[in-house]
Amino acid sequence: MHILENLNPEQERAVKHFKGPLLILAGAGSGKTRVLTHRIAYLISEYNVNPWNILALTFTNKAAGEMRERVDQIVGESAGDIWVSTFHSACVRILRRQIEAIGYGRNFTIYDSDDQKSLMRDILKYLQLDPKKYRERTILSAISSAKDELITPEQYETRAQGDYTKEIYARCYREYAKRLHDANALDFDDIICKTIQLFEENEDILSYYQNRFRFIMVDEYQDTNTAQFRLISLLANTADDDGTILHNLCVVGDDDQSIYKFRGANIYNILNFESQYPETKVIKLEENYRSTQNILDAANAVIKNNAVRKDKALWTEKPKGDAIYYTRFENEYEESGCIADAIANVVSAGLASYKDFAILYRTNAQSRVFEEKLVLHNIPYRIVGAVNFYQRREIKDLLAYLRTIENGMDDISVKRIINVPKRGIGLTTIDRITNYAIEHGISFYDALENCDYIDGISRSAAKLGSFVSLIDSFKRHLAEPGYSLEGLLREIIEETGYVRLLQEEDSDEANGRIENIEELISKAASYEENCEEEPTLGGFLEEVALVADIDNVDESNDLVLLMTLHSAKGLEFPYVYLVGMEDGIFPGYSAIMSDNEEEMEEERRLCYVGITRAMNKLSLSCARSRFRNGEQQFNRPSQFINEIPRYLLKQSGAVPAKVSSSASSSLNAGSMGSEKKKIPSSQKTGKGGALFAGNPYISKGFGSTKSASGSPAAVNYTTGDRVAHVRFGEGTVTEMKEVGSDYQVTVAFDNSINRKMMASFAKLKKL
Ligand code: ATP
Ligand code: MG
């Protein structure tokens, strides 16, 4: 029976579990996610559960996609009926069908954090609050915490009485909720909260979904918040054939990996699961299949310093493996440079591909220096999360056009583009229209349509009128049969002159923006091609709104990934660099200064998550000094490093360049445990080869072969040649420019898209 193959007895017990609540509590890398996927397959093939009756919830779309793929492999085509998705996607799907029952339109807009901030700025102005005293971010985060705990504006107001600041927040919260509703928009928290409201107020709708989702599974359960818990417990109430109520709810998680307290994650959801559902069956998994024993020993040693946790220790049958590499560098440039070197060396020696590496850090700002060094070494990389593609100005502008076309009540989007590109519509005019809209209880766009009646804006009337007719013409065209989203985007660009203006600017930045716009158009085209249902503008906007950062990573790309420790949850990589391991950074200052151990324990769990991402090799590093917020800081190595026993670490000092291999290893700290690694001869090749003998993971002082040479790597095509690109198809090279040790190649593709790209990344094939 192939579903049960390669499962240990405990995993098998979990996979075979049929009805009633099940809690799988286990450490990192013990196969929790794997059990979840196999259980879905087993339910379908052995218990004849209809795939339609299964709901699996995960934290990111990437995880959802991976799970769907694995299920597809095991079950085959019918897997299409299973809902495998994030909490947010599942709720959006439900709301798109049913939200009218709670007074919203089905074409609602989803506001991201930028939209929320713009809205809050408007509200502060409207309530005449000093924006220096009341920061929109602080207020928004108070509102978000309230929503996580399912506290309504009215309840917030009652609780705030007597606390001046909270009373102000309460007024903002009330106005914020009203404006979102008026704009027919939801923020991220609303997506969950409104679904709960929908269920609580509409018994028939709830009972439909209770009957539909007879088997519910939740991955990374330790990071659910109160609202998510309420949602699951509402759904997991299905009447069995004989009428008894069953809670067919299977949750998997690891209390040691709870890292989203700051977003309202409630660790008691997992710790109290058994008291919530007394008939719960509990299964613990102990064997780790991901990492070497040395990596697990390090993880265990760190996490055991936490007081609040269920005691467990990870073990594996895998060999001890390499020691944990630890290096203290002089500064952040040396740290990132050496790591880029090491990656280049390992890859050019043929020992691994770029995608086997992850660089993990505590805060997004730390990525910049790494980015610089990776570029210098011609190493392809992707930063997860730093600048989300969809947060970029030009993308947001174009999406705001699309949103305006889809939902004219979305004031924030309309205001974003009313004067973009510049149409000579001034702020005063916009303020007057806003006030008119508020006074008359209509949307900003409706007010625009009535602008003849608004005092003091007659000078702009013509410009406003032509903006309205522009939007109206887009709407009309969209309604025509056979009109595509791609066509709509191109029309917007053409009619507004958006790209033309960028072309006139002709700076690197402007060209980058044009590329991003092309990327958005490709995204729209691929949405239309791959969409399972009828493609619609609303569907496209929804897909775009729900892409979490990690989702932009395409597995097939051979790239080094850079991300925060938070984004790395659930993932695994053969090589992991945990960087910036310094007191003040990781753990951060606020955890160090806090009297409350809780914050430090959360940082420690984050460290545990980081260590346990590594399959084969783990490197920890820190810098003596680094620039932060414009000043040079001197930091001690992280206390988490001290928590790892010395014998597990292989320490290399900040070695001066051109040191011999013996000198390098003499810098290693004391005994290396049982570790005596044979270095394959292939590692010793290349310029920096000798250094591998000391430390095959971090090599110091030698550039990679690629970056060291000053002239560009050879390419076999030139201007006028026909070339092919994996994604964009065939085209003709129109320009080649030398840039550093690379070429910038411009290609006119046959689909009439012009693209500038770097030769080393584009991997163009001459035809
Ligand atoms: P995390 O806590 O990080 O989310 P997890 O408990 O979900 O980890 P998985 O990602 O499911 O763990 O599994 C970790 C790795 O171990 C995966 O590569 C998986 O394929 C492998 N694995 C799990 N169980 C087995 C097994 N019985 N035999 C072989 N490999 C296994
Ligand atoms: Mg997992």
Side-chain angles (χ1 to χ4, degrees):
M1 156 89 271
H2 72 288
I3 296 176
L4 298 176
E5 260 172 36
N6 295 322
L7 293 176
N8 66 34
E10 286 306 295
Q11 291 177 327
E12 186 175 324
R13 214 153 66 82
V15 167
K16 284 180 164 169
H17 174 86
F18 188 26
K19 291 180 178 173
L22 172 66
L23 166 66
I24 302 172
L25 187 66
S30 57
K32 295 185 297 297
T33 304
R34 184 176 166 123
V35 162
L36 218 63
T37 354
H38 283 245
R39 180 157 178 267
I40 296 176
Y42 200 82
L43 284 173
I44 297 168
S45 70
E46 297 302 306
Y47 296 126
N48 293 319
V49 170
N50 190 333
W52 164 268
N53 290 137
I54 298 177
L55 170 68
L57 295 168
T58 60
F59 246 70
T60 60
N61 287 317
K62 180 181 161 71
E66 247 169 45
M67 197 177 276
R68 176 176 292 284
E69 205 170 281
R70 289 202 232 170
V71 174
D72 276 349
Q73 274 169 13
I74 308 178
V75 198
E77 338 65 85
S78 63
D81 290 339
I82 308 173
W83 276 31
V84 182
S85 70
T86 62
F87 274 95
H88 287 97
S89 308
C91 288
V92 169
R93 264 174 100 171
I94 293 170
L95 292 173
R96 285 274 177 228
R97 278 165 216 182
Q98 316 280 1
I99 200 168
E100 282 168 359
I102 53 168
Y104 286 79
R106 285 160 62 164
N107 61 344
F108 60 85
T109 303
I110 299 167
Y111 276 7
D112 71 8
S113 54
D114 273 3
D115 305 324
Q116 290 177 288
K117 274 188 223 149
S118 319
L119 180 57
M120 192 48 78
R121 263 196 299 275
D122 281 2
I123 292 174
L124 290 177
K125 209 162 161 190
Y126 173 71
L127 296 177
Q128 297 178 341
L129 294 167
D130 179 1
K132 285 203 195 76
K133 217 159 129 201
Y134 299 100
R135 305 210 86 89
E136 65 252 19
R137 217 187 314 166
T138 320
I139 304 177
L140 284 168
S141 111
I143 293 177
S144 174
S145 310
K147 289 187 180 180
D148 286 344
E149 295 297 323
L150 296 168
I151 299 168
T152 62
E154 295 71 33
Q155 290 165 333
Y156 195 94
E157 211 158 335
T158 317
R159 292 184 196 195
Q161 272 166 23
D163 181 329
Y164 182 71
T165 315
K166 289 242 167 79
E167 282 175 4
I168 300 260
Y169 289 1
R171 284 170 63 202
C172 295
Y173 185 9
R174 182 185 277 272
E175 185 64 24
Y176 176 77
K178 176 179 178 303
R179 297 226 182 170
L180 277 174
H181 186 259
D182 290 348
N184 196 28
L186 305 185
D187 67 16
F188 250 61
D189 301 313
D190 281 340
I191 292 175
I192 311 285
C193 299
K194 295 294 167 193
T195 311
I196 294 172
Q197 187 192 337
L198 173 75
F199 286 159
E200 289 183 334
E201 292 174 6
N202 298 273
E203 214 170 301
D204 51 329
I205 297 178
L206 174 61
S207 95
Y208 169 80
Y209 284 102
Q210 283 172 337
N211 278 312
R212 156 116 206 219
F213 298 126
R214 299 179 145 254
F215 292 87
I216 300 175
M217 271 159 273
V218 187
D219 200 359
E220 307 280 1
Y221 185 67
Q222 74 280 352
D223 278 324
T224 49
N225 62 28
T226 302
Q228 288 163 329
F229 176 72
R230 172 82 63 86
L231 182 79
I232 305 166
S233 46
L234 278 170
L235 281 174
N237 266 307
T238 309
D240 205 7
D241 299 337
D242 63 3
T244 45
I245 295 295
L246 286 177
H247 308 291
N248 292 331
L249 175 61
C250 162
V251 302
V252 314
D254 176 2
D255 53 319
D256 287 336
Q257 293 187 67
S258 174
I259 54 175
Y260 276 107
K261 188 163 183 298
F262 71 97
R263 267 204 218 158
N266 184 347
I267 196 169
Y268 292 102
N269 285 347
I270 196 161
L271 296 178
N272 295 341
F273 190 80
E274 291 165 75
S275 44
Q276 188 76 29
Y277 296 108
E279 70 276 32
T280 298
K281 187 158 136 189
V282 183
I283 293 181
K284 294 191 175 170
L285 308 174
E286 292 192 330
E287 179 167 359
N288 175 294
Y289 291 91
R290 178 181 294 147
S291 315
T292 63
Q293 189 65 52
N294 279 338
I295 292 172
L296 296 182
D297 286 350
N300 287 330
V302 170
I303 199 66
K304 78 166 196 283
N305 295 290
N306 271 12
V308 184
R309 63 184 291 257
K310 295 200 170 186
D311 198 29
K312 56 186 165 342
L314 298 171
W315 59 272
T316 178
E317 285 189 351
K318 279 193 173 186
K320 280 201 162 306
D322 284 16
I324 315 294
Y325 298 100
Y326 166 54
T327 315
R328 189 172 187 200
F329 293 98
E330 277 311 312
N331 54 46
E332 70 269 40
Y333 294 100
E334 198 187 46
E335 180 183 41
S336 49
C338 285
I339 288 173
D341 255 6
I343 294 176
N345 282 329
V346 174
V347 173
S348 66
L351 298 169
S353 322
Y354 292 120
K355 66 173 185 311
D356 296 332
F357 294 86
I359 300 175
L360 309 180
Y361 36 77
R362 179 68 182 83
T363 58
N364 271 314
Q366 288 168 259
S367 65
R368 189 187 53 85
V369 193
F370 284 94
E371 194 172 9
E372 283 172 23
K373 298 289 180 184
L374 291 169
V375 169
L376 215 67
H377 283 74
N378 278 333
I379 295 175
Y381 65 91
R382 169 94 34 102
I383 299 183
V384 176
V387 213
N388 183 340
F389 178 75
Y390 294 103
Q391 303 280 320
R392 295 186 177 138
R393 191 176 80 203
E394 61 281 9
I395 302 302
K396 291 216 58 160
D397 286 346
L398 290 177
L399 289 176
Y401 271 97
L402 295 181
R403 285 163 148 204
T404 302
I405 295 166
E406 170 74 4
N407 170 17
M409 283 150 81
D410 177 1
D411 291 356
I412 294 293
S413 294
V414 183
K415 283 193 217 170
R416 180 180 179 101
I417 50 156
I418 187 162
N419 198 33
V420 173
K422 291 213 167 37
R423 303 188 171 89
I425 300 173
L427 282 180
T428 329
T429 306
I430 295 175
D431 277 350
R432 290 199 170 127
I433 304 168
T434 307
N435 291 339
Y436 181 87
I438 293 173
E439 270 166 37
H440 291 78
I442 57 176
S443 72
F444 184 83
Y445 193 79
D446 285 342
L448 273 182
E449 288 180 321
N450 289 322
C451 63
D452 293 347
Y453 303 104
I454 307 175
D455 291 336
I457 61 167
S458 54
R459 268 179 42 218
S460 309
K463 297 169 196 157
L464 296 170
S466 64
F467 174 73
V468 171
S469 45
L470 180 70
I471 299 293
D472 283 346
S473 78
F474 294 144
K475 282 188 188 167
R476 256 195 330 274
H477 293 164
L478 186 64
E480 287 165 10
Y483 194 78
S484 70
L485 285 180
E486 183 184 347
L488 175 62
L489 271 169
R490 291 197 187 280
E491 190 186 343
I492 295 172
I493 291 164
E494 194 51 45
E495 293 300 318
T496 59
Y498 201 102
V499 167
R500 210 165 39 242
L501 290 167
L502 288 171
Q503 278 164 343
E504 282 164 16
E505 213 178 291
D506 194 32
S507 62
D508 280 355
E509 191 190 317
N511 289 335
R513 292 187 193 281
I514 295 174
E515 277 186 29
N516 291 336
I517 291 172
E518 288 296 345
E519 184 68 33
L520 180 69
I521 295 175
S522 326
K523 166 78 194 167
S526 92
Y527 161 79
E528 288 182 304
E529 232 166 76
N530 301 323
C531 182
E532 281 169 19
E533 296 155 17
E534 177 75 13
T536 58
L537 176 55
F540 176 65
L541 288 172
E542 172 186 326
E543 188 169 301
V544 166
L546 291 175
V547 228
D549 301 326
I550 184 77
D551 302 327
N552 296 323
V553 177
D554 180 354
E555 285 270 308
S556 57
N557 285 350
D558 192 16
L559 304 163
V560 173
L561 286 187
L562 282 72
M563 67 185 106
T564 62
L565 289 150
H566 280 101
S567 308
K569 194 170 67 154
L571 307 178
E572 57 189 22
F573 303 91
Y575 294 72
V576 168
Y577 292 94
L578 271 182
V579 302
M581 298 280 296
E582 292 148 39
D583 275 352
I585 293 186
F586 187 36
Y589 273 123
S590 85
I592 293 175
M593 304 312 276
S594 163
D595 296 333
N596 188 338
E597 261 303 293
E598 256 181 44
E599 216 177 314
M600 185 59 85
E601 296 213 344
E602 175 127 334
E603 293 282 303
R604 195 174 279 113
R605 287 193 291 272
L606 197 53
C607 183
Y608 173 83
V609 167
I611 294 175
T612 54
R613 297 311 94 198
M615 298 164 80
N616 303 326
K617 294 179 197 255
L618 172 67
S619 152
L620 312 174
S621 57
C622 58
R624 255 177 251 280
S625 81
R626 72 172 64 230
F627 269 93
R628 260 185 115 196
N629 309 327
E631 56 182 60
Q632 195 173 18
Q633 285 183 353
F634 295 87
N635 294 325
R636 275 188 321 218
S638 166
Q639 59 193 79
F640 298 146
I641 289 178
N642 284 334
E643 292 173 1
I644 301 174
R646 271 288 175 250
Y647 70 87
L648 287 174
L649 296 176
K650 187 168 193 163
Q651 192 170 350
S652 50
V655 196
K658 304 212 167 151
V659 72
S660 77
S661 64
S662 59
S664 163
S665 32
S666 72
L667 284 164
N668 294 331
S671 133
M672 290 305 130
S674 61
E675 231 263 327
K676 269 209 178 64
K677 198 170 174 296
K678 268 223 163 96
I679 315 296
S681 56
S682 62
Q683 282 188 24
K684 295 184 180 164
T685 57
K687 283 189 189 169
L691 277 173
F692 277 129
N695 181 342
Y697 199 27
I698 286 190
S699 75
K700 296 198 45 62
F702 293 87
S704 76
T705 40
K706 265 193 212 154
S707 69
S709 60
S711 57
V715 289
N716 66 348
Y717 47 82
T718 179
T719 315
D721 281 349
R722 296 280 299 160
V723 289
H725 183 273
V726 209
R727 242 187 56 237
F728 309 125
E730 297 183 5
T732 308
V733 178
T734 55
E735 200 189 335
M736 302 269 291
K737 218 160 73 190
E738 231 180 273
V739 181
S741 55
D742 205 344
Y743 287 107
Q744 188 187 57
V745 189
T746 312
V747 183
F749 285 102
D750 297 349
N751 57 6
S752 74
I753 293 177
N754 276 309
R755 223 165 239 286
K756 279 200 174 71
M757 36 199 158
M758 299 308 283
S760 59
F761 284 72
K763 308 238 161 62
L764 293 167
K765 237 177 48 212
K766 187 175 169 186
L767 295 172

